Amino acid sequence: MGFGVVGRALARLLLEEGERLAKRRGFRPIVVGVADSLGAAYDEGGLDMLEVLGAKERYGTVSKSSSGVRGMTGLELLGTVYADVVVEVTPTNLGDGEPGLTHIREALKSGMSVVTSNKGPLALAMPALMELARHRGAVLRFSGTVGGGTPVLDYGRRLSAGDYIEGVEGILNGTTNYILTRMTEGLEFQEALREAQERGYAERDPSMDLEGLDSACKLVIMANYVLGLKATLRDVEVKGIGGVTREEVAEAYHRDYAVKLVASIREDKLKVEPREVPRRSPLCVWGVLNAVTFKCRRLGEQTVVGRGAGGVETALSIIRDLAEVKRNLSGSLGGWA
Amino acid sequence: MGLRLLVMKFGGSCLTDGDSILRAAELVRDAFNRGDGIVAVVSAMKGVTDRLLNMVEGSLRGEDVREEIESLRADHVEATRRAVGDVEVRGEVERIVTTTISELERVLTAIGYLEEVTPRSRDYILSFGERLSTPILWGAIRSQGLKASWMTGGEAGIVTDSNFGEARPLMENTRLRVEAKLKPLLEKGIIPVVTGFIGEDLDRVVTTLGRGGSDYTATLIGEVLGADEIYLWTDVEGLMTADPRIVPEARIIEEISFEEAVEMAVFGAKRMHPRALVPAMRAGIPVVIKSLRRPEVRGTRITGEVKIGEGVVKAVTLVRGVGLLNVQGLRMIGMPGVAGRVCQLLGRKGINIFMISQSVSEANISLMISKDRLYQAESLIENALLGTGLISDVYVEEDVCVVAVVGAGMRGTPGVAARVFKAVASRGINVRMIAQGSSELNISFVVKEEDGEEAVRAIHQEFNLSGKT
Ligand SMILES: NC(=O)c1ccc[n+]([C@@H]2O[C@H](COP(=O)([O-])OP(=O)(O)OC[C@H]3O[C@@H](n4cnc5c(N)ncnc54)[C@H](OP(=O)(O)O)[C@@H]3O)[C@@H](O)[C@H]2O)c1
């Protein structure tokens, strides 16, 4: 579902790495259907993805490929072809989660597993989707939603399986971190934003990042997956970086602090806000880097640092999830891995 | 939305006719006019669920049940006439009743042809009771000049698994859907009127919630919406210290904790199923049991707080309809596995064990089981274990009953058990078995059936539950 930056990066990656995956890991994903906003293409025997990529490039929609159907929606595609796994990579929508929410819900309802990088449906309805997956014996994976290519969610989950995680602090959004970094170096907010956009770090409509909503979504996913809380976006107190001035940032810097957009969970409370972080702290990363600190009762603080998300990183995380789904299905372990 | 949010559930036992539905509507109106947000949950009218079951049985036997269907229709139309004053609204409700009845007729005819009823279609047929009563209350409320909207439990957002007859809600999906459906209505000052007892599964097939039924619907919705109070309107004035038919001086308990109420529900307070209390308990929402006929009586308030000051014992109940299954074994001594095997065998068949006691010296396990499953349990154990050398005999005792003494104050008050058993012994009653490992909130024991009532009276008096000095 969805054939944009991430969907296409995944298709290319599967073409390039397919043979190696099959040989090394006995894992041979076959794409039987693709949908974009204008139509779909499907073939139960497996689509010729080179041709589908070509059609998308040339005509702007997969429905113009030889197996394409103009106007066929993602939902119709789900009802038409059987798949073991549905990869959901349509745009994030924090209003009602659509179309992703319906895609994921319907797939899980009919027992198909789901891999997604779409934060919207998870942020709005993660506990319900997890329950659905469990109920239908399907697997729901989403490691690309947080930390891009860095498997930070699973790292946290492993930690929490042994130790007790008392709190989480993270810099979860590359765009705002880049802007704050450049402001530390003397730019005004608007200048920094423009630069981020020029370099392709920020979307044309960067409001989700700037208002802290992107970080909030990731925090919700972390709260559910790592800490086992039943949270949704409404449970997060969110403040963006709109009010941060260059002077503030500079002044903090002189005291050996840095202003960061920090997402935190403490005593089951979820919060996103610009906050001062000691410059010596491992959490204090610069540029488009992300970092998450897990505060464990016995192991102490564990920090994971990684590059933020891009198309390829996210596609890689989807392959990782697909392999995980396969492991689960072949072990016939129903439920939520 | 008002300042407070109330869930008001009207039980079948008190919805006897049109007048009672009208009274229910007036209670909703009064609460709404005080500024509260209201969700109404409605059971089937009194006796209707049993009538539906009879129709199913009749259809299966190939009988013509049209007469029964017609009388069901007539009763609901009559109730509509009395409950819904506004002529236009009344017409609307009557049309719904008529369509619903013809649908029922079709389904029953189909069953007659197929000579078979699946759990799925049984659930569907059972849902008609609520689907007939709910529109009438909806009409009655609108006749009072309020805005209301009626819907089935499934439409309200209660999603369950497909375990027909005893469906379990998928809590998180239910939470999401109920909020999305009911919140906007409440914000607009519209009163949702929801059928109790029924939900739907992921394929939108009607399911029933089984035990706990409509109460469960009410507490689920209450939990999900974060209600301030849940009212269960019924035909009794509250939970009582004992069954008044046994103890004439029994009185209503005004305040009781969830824990205590659950114990009472487990041990015989027939009108309530413990599982119905769980959502309210989880969310800490007070549940009030009140009489529709006498709303001025305060009723019983079930809350999260335990008030011990009121005396150590709150109530004493008598559980009938149970029997003892005795399993005797020569080689059970030092073989604790046998008790586990027995419980596992019964559990797999869905046979509930209320009490268990094992006396090692006598090499005997006694299990308290519902009477209607007693002989099934006996042959189950016999087939599985007799002749394996593990046990030597299985036999049942039918003429027994359980007396349960409930009260949170018993925890940490020494000598309560001694007082209980002394009171019973002083009337010459022999205690057959004492429950082991049950919670400290109750003491329960088994006596001969004929001694049960006397034992209850003895304890009621010993702890002065009637409050007389
Ligand atoms: N890009 C990243 O680095 C990254 C990183 C992490 C997470 N994510 C998340 O991953 C998801 C995909 O990102 P992206 O960058 O690939 O987005 P994108 O380039 O905007 O692609 C979205 C795709 O979804 C399709 N689509 C839109 N509406 C649809 C509908 N109703 N039915 C079927 N398809 C529909 C679009 O169709 P058209 O092609 O016809 O427009 C497009 O192919 C988003 O939720 C994003 O937040 C992205």
Side-chain angles (χ1 to χ4, degrees):
Chain A
M1 303 288 129
F3 205 51
V5 175
V6 175
R8 290 199 298 263
L10 175 65
R12 274 186 228 106
L13 214 62
L14 287 175
L15 282 171
E16 288 163 19
E17 300 288 329
E19 212 156 304
R20 200 181 54 84
L21 281 172
K23 247 197 221 123
R24 289 260 189 93
R25 326 217 59 174
F27 169 48
R28 205 167 44 147
I30 296 168
V31 184
V32 293
V34 182
D36 60 26
S37 68
L38 298 174
Y42 68 92
D43 183 341
E44 301 244 322
L47 286 165
D48 176 351
M49 289 310 287
L50 209 54
E51 200 243 343
V52 175
L53 275 165
K56 178 79 184 167
E57 204 166 306
R58 224 162 308 132
Y59 309 111
T61 169
V62 296
S63 62
K64 281 286 183 99
S65 71
S66 58
S67 332
V69 184
R70 222 183 150 67
M72 181 184 236
T73 65
L75 201 56
E76 285 162 356
L77 178 65
L78 275 181
T80 309
V81 278
Y82 175 79
D84 295 318
V85 191
V86 173
V87 176
E88 217 301 328
V89 284
T90 62
T92 296
N93 169 352
L94 295 186
D96 59 6
E98 299 301 352
L101 185 55
T102 299
H103 290 160
I104 296 176
R105 195 196 304 125
E106 292 306 311
L108 292 176
K109 263 166 72 173
S110 49
M112 302 184 205
S113 290
V114 173
V115 171
T116 185
S117 63
N118 184 349
K119 293 170 285 271
L122 295 173
L124 297 173
M126 187 149 168
L129 293 174
M130 279 160 45
E131 184 183 65
L132 257 186
R134 236 183 345 252
H135 179 60
R136 284 290 152 115
V139 182
L140 172 62
R141 304 267 323 168
F142 35 79
S143 74
T145 52
V146 184
T150 315
V152 50
L153 283 173
D154 283 306
Y155 184 85
R157 186 143 156 127
R158 285 280 158 88
L159 278 179
S160 75
D163 204 347
Y164 176 77
I165 297 186
E166 291 173 327
V168 176
E169 274 187 359
I171 294 169
L172 303 177
N173 180 269
T175 309
T176 46
N177 203 38
Y178 182 82
I179 293 172
L180 291 172
T181 299
R182 296 294 285 149
M183 285 168 75
T184 312
E185 290 161 5
L187 294 193
E188 289 291 347
F189 173 80
Q190 286 302 337
E191 291 173 292
L193 171 60
R194 201 172 324 115
E195 189 182 287
Q197 281 171 318
E198 277 161 16
R199 295 184 155 218
Y201 297 144
E203 316 262 334
R204 236 169 311 138
D205 176 10
S207 52
M208 246 187 70
D209 292 333
L210 301 184
E211 288 166 14
L213 287 173
D214 177 74
S215 298
C217 289
K218 291 167 174 167
L219 195 64
V220 167
I221 294 167
M222 196 130 66
N224 280 277
Y225 189 69
V226 177
L227 299 180
L229 302 177
K230 287 195 174 125
T232 66
L233 195 53
R234 282 185 315 189
D235 302 314
V236 194
E237 200 186 311
V238 192
K239 197 166 149 217
I241 62 165
V244 180
T245 63
R246 191 180 53 135
E247 289 70 30
E248 251 173 81
V249 175
E251 194 271 329
Y253 191 83
H254 285 302
R255 285 187 284 111
D256 277 338
Y257 280 87
V259 178
K260 299 285 177 193
L261 183 62
V262 178
S264 63
I265 306 174
R266 193 181 303 159
E267 283 163 4
D268 295 353
K269 287 212 173 51
L270 282 66
K271 210 178 205 177
V272 174
E273 63 182 351
R275 209 163 71 199
E276 292 186 2
V277 172
R279 267 164 57 196
R280 272 195 315 252
S281 135
L283 188 66
C284 187
V285 293
W286 302 97
V288 290
L289 287 181
N290 287 358
V292 180
T293 300
F294 297 102
K295 303 190 169 171
C296 307
R297 183 170 291 168
R298 294 190 176 76
L299 279 175
E301 297 197 350
Q302 299 270 320
T303 301
V304 183
V305 178
R307 201 147 45 112
V312 177
E313 286 84 351
T314 307
L316 275 169
S317 75
I318 289 175
I319 293 194
R320 203 163 59 211
D321 284 350
L322 287 172
E324 192 66 28
V325 170
K326 192 208 164 216
R327 213 172 56 88
N328 270 277
L329 293 183
S330 50
S332 77
L333 292 163
W336 180 54
Chain B
M1 212 186 295
L3 280 179
R4 298 193 315 156
L5 178 64
L6 308 183
V7 177
M8 297 177 95
K9 175 256 167 180
F10 298 95
S13 60
C14 65
L15 296 180
T16 49
D17 53 14
D19 289 340
S20 56
I21 296 181
L22 179 59
R23 250 194 321 275
E26 287 165 354
L27 284 171
V28 170
R29 177 200 61 200
D30 293 347
F32 186 86
N33 288 342
R34 277 196 300 271
D36 293 332
I38 314 279
V39 178
V41 174
V42 192
S43 295
M45 288 182 71
K46 187 170 182 172
V48 168
T49 304
D50 286 336
R51 282 160 79 182
L52 289 167
L53 279 173
N54 286 336
M55 288 180 210
V56 172
E57 298 307 322
S59 301
L60 278 177
R61 287 191 300 266
E63 291 165 16
D64 185 353
V65 293
R66 267 177 303 182
E67 216 169 283
E68 284 86 340
I69 297 177
E70 171 51 29
S71 92
L72 194 68
R73 192 194 65 82
D75 289 351
H76 283 91
V77 168
E78 173 60 21
T80 306
R81 295 214 171 114
R82 298 202 66 103
V84 186
D86 185 291
V87 183
E88 215 166 291
V89 177
R90 189 192 302 159
E92 228 175 301
V93 174
E94 277 178 19
R95 273 193 297 283
I96 295 174
V97 169
T98 310
T99 349
T100 309
I101 287 283
S102 18
E103 197 181 331
L104 173 65
E105 197 166 354
R106 270 199 303 280
V107 186
L108 285 170
T109 313
I111 284 178
Y113 284 136
L114 295 173
E115 291 178 12
E116 189 185 305
V117 58
T118 58
R120 173 180 166 150
S121 40
R122 187 186 296 268
D123 269 14
Y124 183 55
I125 292 168
L126 284 184
S127 77
F128 278 84
E130 276 75 12
R131 286 169 57 198
L132 286 165
S133 62
T134 308
I136 305 179
L137 180 62
W138 166 71
I141 291 171
R142 285 172 64 211
S143 257
Q144 302 292 326
L146 306 183
K147 285 185 284 182
S149 164
W150 88 274
M151 61 201 84
T152 65
E155 287 163 349
I158 296 178
V159 205
T160 70
D161 60 17
S162 307
N163 185 11
F164 296 104
E166 184 90 20
R168 224 180 314 231
L170 300 176
M171 268 320 290
E172 294 307 324
N173 283 273
T174 296
R175 186 184 305 280
L176 208 65
R177 288 200 203 180
V178 170
E179 265 183 42
K181 174 82 186 197
L182 300 191
K183 279 233 167 111
L185 293 177
L186 290 164
E187 270 156 22
K188 280 184 240 149
I190 298 171
I191 298 167
V193 187
V194 184
T195 63
F197 184 54
I198 60 192
E200 66 184 30
D201 71 4
L202 287 169
D203 302 317
R204 312 216 62 168
V205 178
V206 171
T207 57
T208 65
L209 299 177
R211 290 172 292 154
S214 297
D215 288 349
Y216 197 27
T217 306
T219 52
L220 271 177
I221 292 180
E223 178 190 10
V224 166
L225 295 179
D228 294 283
E229 271 178 349
I230 298 163
Y231 281 82
L232 305 179
W233 297 93
T234 175
D235 67 336
V236 296
E237 287 161 15
L239 297 178
M240 303 201 69
T241 52
D243 183 340
R245 281 167 307 187
I246 300 173
V247 187
E249 65 272 21
R251 75 189 163 81
I252 295 164
I253 304 168
E254 292 199 338
E255 292 247 357
I256 192 169
S257 70
F258 280 114
E259 289 175 301
E260 291 168 318
V262 165
E263 295 287 342
M264 283 185 73
V266 170
F267 290 100
K270 241 193 336 244
R271 288 206 178 72
M272 197 172 42
H273 192 272
R275 117 162 154 171
L277 286 175
V278 171
M281 188 152 71
R282 235 177 356 220
I285 302 169
V287 172
V288 186
I289 299 175
K290 276 174 86 84
S291 156
L292 180 63
R293 234 167 351 100
R294 301 192 52 201
E296 68 282 2
V297 177
R298 263 178 60 189
T300 298
R301 201 181 153 79
I302 310 173
T303 66
E305 297 136 42
V306 185
K307 284 201 186 148
I308 294 175
E310 287 199 2
V312 286
V313 170
K314 284 269 170 65
V316 48
T317 64
L318 184 61
V319 190
R320 291 185 236 250
V322 290
L324 271 185
L325 177 72
N326 296 297
V327 182
Q328 208 135 32
L330 302 166
R331 298 190 38 198
M332 283 197 329
I333 303 171
M335 293 200 63
V338 176
R341 276 295 294 284
V342 169
C343 295
Q344 199 184 15
L345 282 164
L346 298 181
R348 220 179 287 153
K349 287 280 176 211
I351 300 175
N352 250 330
I353 301 168
F354 296 124
M355 286 167 69
I356 181 164
S357 116
Q358 178 171 23
S359 66
V360 176
S361 57
E362 289 171 32
N364 180 306
I365 310 174
S366 297
L367 303 144
M368 177 63 63
I369 291 169
S370 167
K371 210 174 249 174
D372 54 351
R373 308 294 297 269
L374 195 57
Y375 286 98
Q376 189 194 356
E378 187 190 17
S379 57
L380 202 67
I381 302 303
E382 212 176 282
N383 288 336
L385 297 182
L386 207 61
T388 58
L390 283 175
I391 66 171
S392 64
D393 196 10
V394 190
Y395 63 97
V396 301
E397 278 177 79
E398 273 195 293
D399 58 340
V400 293
C401 61
V402 178
V403 177
V405 186
V406 175
M410 296 195 296
R411 196 163 29 200
T413 310
V416 179
R419 266 175 82 189
V420 166
F421 292 119
K422 206 172 132 227
V424 174
S426 73
R427 309 236 177 155
I429 298 170
N430 195 14
V431 172
R432 295 270 301 99
M433 161 184 168
I434 299 171
Q436 287 185 341
S438 65
S439 81
E440 288 177 78
L441 296 180
N442 94 65
I443 297 171
S444 43
F445 56 92
V446 177
V447 296
K448 284 271 179 222
E449 190 149 33
E450 72 230 28
D451 293 334
E453 299 197 350
E454 192 56 28
V456 169
R457 281 191 285 268
I459 294 162
H460 204 273
Q461 194 175 17
E462 168 66 28
F463 291 94
N464 191 24
L465 296 185
S466 57
K468 291 188 193 127
T469 42

